[in-house]
Amino acid sequence: MFKIGVMASGGGSNFKAIIERIGEGDLEAQCKFLITNNGTCGAVAHAEEYGIPVYHISGKTHPEQAAYETALLEVLDRYNVDLLILAGYMKALPVSFVQRMAGRILNIHPSLLPKYGGKGFWGIHVHEAVIAAHEKESGATVHLVSEKIDQGKILAQVKVPVLEGDTPEVLAARVLEQEHNLYWKTIRDYAAQL
Ligand code: GRF
């Protein structure tokens, strides 16, 4: 069985969408763990609901960088997952971690990369910039994670229109809804080509 691990920091709606698709048999995979840097985030509640082990590993739990990296690598050692899924994980991954899982970490970003990616483009700031630039369309991108933020190989994208009068929040919600459909399908396609 294809094994995945998920890393998330926030509401966890993408994480939830993925574990629901697994539960319904649309995505043939097992989710072995959730790593979070925020022990009280929504993603943790979803993991608990589905009986998925949670590892809270952050600068607070592991103030020393070496101990922090070791804790992350230990989770990888324990489960030996085929693929790591970043689903709203808001902390840069250590280089050791990216190298260890090279080509096997996916991320979802709420813009049509390469536009609106990299430094400063996270959360609502992405959608603010899209609206300020009077873009006619936006969307989401699933890409491989490389050592450079938001620059790994693009695997899949979905487009949504930017409508007259959109606020960043309204646009964010339109994009997020599409992310939920895009991410699990991209994981399925990735697993199929391994
Ligand atoms: C999504 O917009 C995703 O593109 C970005 O972080 C957000 C996570 O949302 N990387 P959620 O926690 O899955 O609801």
Side-chain angles (χ1 to χ4, degrees), residues 8-17 41-43 46 86-90 107-111 121-124 126-127 139-141 143 150 172 175-176 179-180 183:
S9 308
S13 68
N14 275 289
F15 172 48
K16 183 166 185 271
C41 70
H46 297 315
L86 305 190
Y89 189 67
M90 302 306 285
N107 183 43
I108 191 160
H109 184 80
S111 78
F121 289 118
W122 56 275
I124 203 71
V126 173
H127 309 291
T141 302
H143 63 94
D150 297 334
V175 172
L176 189 61
E179 290 182 33
H180 298 159
Y183 215 175

Side-chain angles (χ1 to χ4, degrees), residues 56-69:
H56 179 199
I57 301 171
S58 68
K60 268 192 193 159
T61 61
H62 297 79
E64 284 178 24
Q65 180 67 15
Y68 166 73
E69 291 190 24

Side-chain angles (χ1 to χ4, degrees), residues 3 19 44-45 59 78 82 85-86 100-101 103 120-121 123 146 156 159-161 165-166 169-170 178 182 187-188 191:
K3 291 186 288 183
I19 49 184
V44 170
R78 189 166 312 146
D82 299 295
I85 307 294
L86 305 190
R100 164 76 181 273
M101 293 294 287
F121 289 118
S146 67
K159 290 181 179 173
V160 304
D166 269 354
E169 289 76 13
V170 166
Q178 294 305 315
L182 180 71
I187 297 165
R188 179 196 60 191

Side-chain angles (χ1 to χ4, degrees), residues 110 123-128 130-131 138-139 160-179:
I124 203 71
H125 304 302
V126 173
H127 309 291
E128 285 167 354
V130 167
I131 289 171
S138 188
V160 304
V162 181
L163 302 176
E164 197 72 29
D166 269 354
T167 62
E169 289 76 13
V170 166
L171 178 58
R174 190 177 303 128
V175 172
L176 189 61
E177 192 183 345
Q178 294 305 315
E179 290 182 33

